[in-house]
Amino acid sequence: MLLPENRSFELSRQLLERAIDIHVHATPHLPSSPRRLDPIEAAVEARDAGMRAIVLMDVFQMTNGIAWIVNRAVPDFTVFGGLILNTAYGGLNPRAVKTAIGYGDGARFISFGAHSTFYQASREGRIVDGKFTPLKDLYPEFRREEVDRAIRIPVDGHVGPELDEILSVISDHPQVFLNTGHVSPEEAIRLVDLAGEYGIGRVLVATAVTQAASTDQLRFMAGKGAFIEYTLGAYTHTTSIPKTHYYVEREYAADEEMTGEASGGIRKAAEQMREVGTDHCILATDFGGYTLPAPVEGLREFIACLLDLGLPTDDIRKMVRTNPEKLLGLDP
């Protein structure tokens, strides 16, 4: 394929204007997994690049308290936060959801787990003697402490009282969007269906699901009104090394690619965006780790790569600006 005529460094910078990165990890972390920058630095860099907002994510704490602080320290910019329901919060914990929605600037998202979903925790592992081995097979205590406590979404039948209460709380707060988290594609489809049943107006299919799902599954969820998340961190850079250490126990360090298989890279992502439809897709970075560029540069790189792959500027602007605005309920 010939490189398109409209590719330029200046254009990739221009497309950051009023953009929103909905997946930034710039909050405190374990010393074994240091951050590239703090949340104030992340906000200042994004503001100075002309962006409109960022959304902070943290696997250990709700980020809307940090957003409250940053929004008072950094003028002319907005930072949003929310809650990832990991084992640090006891998994499916309605009390944590209620608290997050009322704390600080208020949670803007509720995610159904990152590393603490059964789908991910049961598959996390590392290469041992040339073979990928799940942590649950290496450490019986990991199975007990993480896998057995991890979030599972029933793919059919009754949802259970905890999930029912959480979905009801999200439905009662229309400013909050549901993030599927790192569940299986089948669980994500059930969450999208349940969102419709409970009257939840905004749903994001997390990038971990996007990578694992088929294009038909993504099209189905998009057809139900969900946005499909694509993060640069999932398709390039340090995907093959253990860049994120979620667990306090050092021995639980896991390789980033849980299967050891190639993701197909940004070209595959771009092809899916075309097939699913850019009206339904959102670009983000998942950056903030010290092995990665700063999130602002990461988003510019993602934009530049998609320009090189021939995506029209209007489609890119839609995925970095218009669609995140809709997800967050912001005026265009």
Side-chain angles (χ1 to χ4, degrees), residues 59-246:
V59 296
F60 298 110
Q61 63 177 323
M62 61 184 79
T63 52
N64 35 294
I66 294 176
W68 183 90
I69 295 170
V70 177
N71 285 331
R72 280 148 185 79
V74 181
D76 304 317
F77 193 72
T78 306
V79 175
F80 297 100
L83 173 66
I84 302 175
L85 287 167
N86 283 329
T87 49
Y89 282 97
L92 288 175
N93 183 349
R95 190 68 182 167
V97 173
K98 293 177 183 177
T99 302
I101 289 175
Y103 176 68
D105 277 343
R108 207 59 168 227
F109 69 86
I110 301 295
S111 166
F112 283 89
H115 296 259
S116 294
T117 64
F118 179 82
Y119 179 72
Q120 174 145 349
S122 64
R123 295 164 64 246
E124 285 202 309
R126 59 175 179 265
I127 304 297
V128 178
D129 296 328
K131 179 182 178 182
F132 186 84
T133 307
L135 293 178
K136 63 183 175 62
D137 296 337
L138 293 172
Y139 304 102
E141 60 271 27
F142 179 84
R143 182 189 297 270
R144 183 180 67 254
E145 294 171 355
E146 292 293 336
V147 177
D148 292 348
R149 296 174 179 171
I151 288 176
R152 298 196 211 199
I153 304 298
V155 296
D156 52 33
H158 297 296
V159 299
E162 292 84 7
L163 180 55
D164 171 70
E165 187 172 0
I166 290 170
L167 292 172
S168 297
V169 170
I170 298 173
S171 177
D172 289 340
H173 296 84
Q175 77 277 15
V176 178
F177 70 86
L178 184 159
N179 183 321
T180 64
H182 296 204
V183 298
S184 69
E186 292 74 22
E187 290 173 293
I189 289 171
R190 183 73 196 283
L191 281 173
V192 170
D193 284 337
L194 288 169
E197 294 175 20
Y198 280 77
I200 297 170
R202 300 186 182 102
V203 179
L204 179 71
V205 176
T207 193
V209 176
T210 304
Q211 274 193 295
S214 69
T215 302
D216 286 341
Q217 288 174 319
L218 295 176
R219 271 200 298 252
F220 176 82
M221 290 185 281
K224 294 270 188 171
F227 283 110
I228 311 299
E229 180 188 42
Y230 288 88
T231 67
L232 182 61
Y235 290 92
T236 189
H237 284 292
T238 54
T239 52
S240 60
I241 67 171
K243 68 172 179 281
T244 299
H245 183 202
Y246 165 71

